[in-house]
Amino acid sequence: MTSNHTDCHYCLQSLRGRKYALRDENAYCVACYDSLFANPCEECKQPIECNSKDLAYKGRHWHEGCFKCAKCSRSLVEKPFAAKDELLLCTECYSDEYSSKCFHCQKTIMPGSRKMEFKGSSWHESCFVCQYCRQPLGTKPLITKDNENYCVPCFEKQFAHHCYSCKKVITSGGVTYHDQPWHKECFVCAGCKTQLSGQRFISKDEYPYCVDCFSKLYAKKCSACKKPVTALGGAKFVSFEDRQWHGECFNCAKCSVSLVGQGFLTQQDDVLCHECGSA
């Protein structure tokens, strides 16, 4: 039967002088409308009658007075809110329970605001700045020291070592020599320029030399074999007055017996054992 808006479409009772509701162009008395179409309230489970405001969110319905924060019970009508595990929460309660805290200021990062994440921690965008110049870091390269973040230029200015040789920043590795930092590639022999990192070297006048260059330039010559005399590797040498000998070269000039640890005599430029020197 088609309603002409004078009778209830369901119970057929006259609507003259009575309140009614329309649905799909049909008129219903209030009682019929509520029994047929009213949504149950999520909070109180009672039907939301046609003379009450029906607030809906994702297929669920509430009376206006029942639409509250599940934690603090403040009304959420016309206010921002968030849902968690089917519970509705005001933004303050949601933040207290579930929002992350800023690593720098320890205040809540409110839902919807932009946050920066780095090494498992979160920052307000305005808090994620270089510790030295205070400029926003955003997605720029950065370096962390003592739990503080620095842009690369500021970190290099404040903390990075500069090579003693080329004066440029040492970004990784490096060699320490005379309490000064060097790039590995800059730490070279002062004579032949061969890289000395990981190699044996000898210091002379604050400069490093490879063994060959030092021997050629500075080592004294053995009085016997005329080759450089060095103590590298624990090699033994003998010094007498202003002359030096390799341990294996310090022999009697006549019989060649070793004179290391023995008494000896000199005859002009020769060293002799007692027996040969007394003959």
Side-chain angles (χ1 to χ4, degrees):
M1 179 181 293
T2 304
S3 172
N4 58 8
H5 292 190
T6 59
D7 299 326
C8 173
H9 182 69
Y10 186 74
C11 71
L12 304 180
Q13 294 295 313
S14 174
L15 297 175
R16 293 180 187 276
R18 300 169 62 191
K19 290 183 178 180
Y20 64 90
L22 291 175
R23 184 181 177 90
D24 299 331
E25 298 185 357
N26 295 319
Y28 298 84
C29 66
V30 172
C32 287
Y33 184 89
D34 288 342
S35 65
L36 292 172
F37 305 115
N39 295 304
C41 175
E42 288 287 328
E43 178 65 21
C44 70
K45 310 305 180 184
Q46 298 300 311
I48 303 172
E49 300 171 338
C50 65
N51 59 355
S52 299
K53 183 178 286 189
D54 186 333
L55 300 180
Y57 174 72
K58 290 189 175 181
R60 296 187 293 162
H61 301 264
W62 288 263
H63 289 106
E64 185 175 16
C66 294
F67 196 59
K68 301 175 181 179
C69 172
K71 185 176 181 183
C72 69
S73 298
R74 285 184 290 183
S75 175
L76 299 177
V77 177
E78 297 183 357
K79 293 181 180 178
F81 63 90
K84 181 69 174 179
D85 299 329
E86 297 190 354
L87 297 177
L88 302 185
L89 300 168
C90 64
T91 54
E92 290 82 358
C93 289
Y94 182 87
S95 298
D96 290 341
E97 288 291 322
Y98 304 109
S99 292
S100 53
K101 298 290 192 298
C102 176
F103 184 84
H104 176 73
C105 70
Q106 295 302 308
K107 294 181 180 178
T108 298
I109 301 175
M110 299 297 289
S113 61
R114 190 174 181 186
K115 70 177 180 179
M116 309 302 295
E117 294 185 348
F118 178 64
K119 290 187 175 180
S121 297
S122 301
W123 281 261
H124 291 111
E125 186 177 23
S126 58
C127 291
F128 195 59
V129 298
C130 170
Q131 178 67 16
Y132 185 72
C133 69
R134 311 307 299 176
Q135 293 300 307
L137 290 170
T139 57
K140 297 176 184 177
L142 61 91
I143 301 174
T144 300
K145 179 178 174 63
D146 298 331
N147 288 329
E148 299 290 356
N149 299 320
Y150 298 85
C151 63
V152 174
C154 285
F155 182 86
E156 291 180 349
K157 185 185 299 182
Q158 291 295 308
F159 304 110
H161 295 297
H162 290 74
C163 177
Y164 183 78
S165 175
C166 71
K167 311 306 179 186
K168 295 181 180 179
V169 171
I170 300 174
T171 56
S172 63
V175 175
T176 299
Y177 172 68
H178 280 305
D179 295 326
Q180 297 292 346
W182 302 60
H183 289 113
K184 287 184 178 180
E185 58 271 22
C186 293
F187 189 61
V188 297
C189 171
C192 66
K193 307 304 180 185
T194 300
Q195 287 191 20
L196 296 177
S197 178
Q199 307 296 321
R200 292 195 302 173
F201 65 90
I202 302 172
S203 178
K204 174 70 175 176
D205 299 330
E206 296 189 358
Y207 289 98
Y209 292 85
C210 67
V211 174
D212 288 342
C213 285
F214 183 85
S215 297
K216 291 175 184 177
L217 294 171
Y218 300 108
K220 294 183 178 181
K221 303 299 188 292
C222 175
S223 293
C225 70
K226 308 306 180 186
K227 294 180 180 179
V229 175
T230 69
L232 290 174
K236 294 181 180 180
F237 67 96
V238 177
S239 179
F240 175 69
E241 294 181 346
D242 60 346
R243 294 186 292 168
Q244 284 79 32
W245 291 261
H246 293 110
E248 62 272 19
C249 294
F250 191 57
N251 302 322
C252 175
K254 289 187 176 180
C255 70
S256 300
V257 67
S258 175
L259 297 177
V260 176
Q262 307 297 320
F264 62 90
L265 302 173
T266 60
Q267 190 177 83
Q268 296 180 349
D269 290 336
D270 294 331
V271 288
L272 303 170
C273 65
H274 280 291
E275 186 175 342
C276 292
S278 302

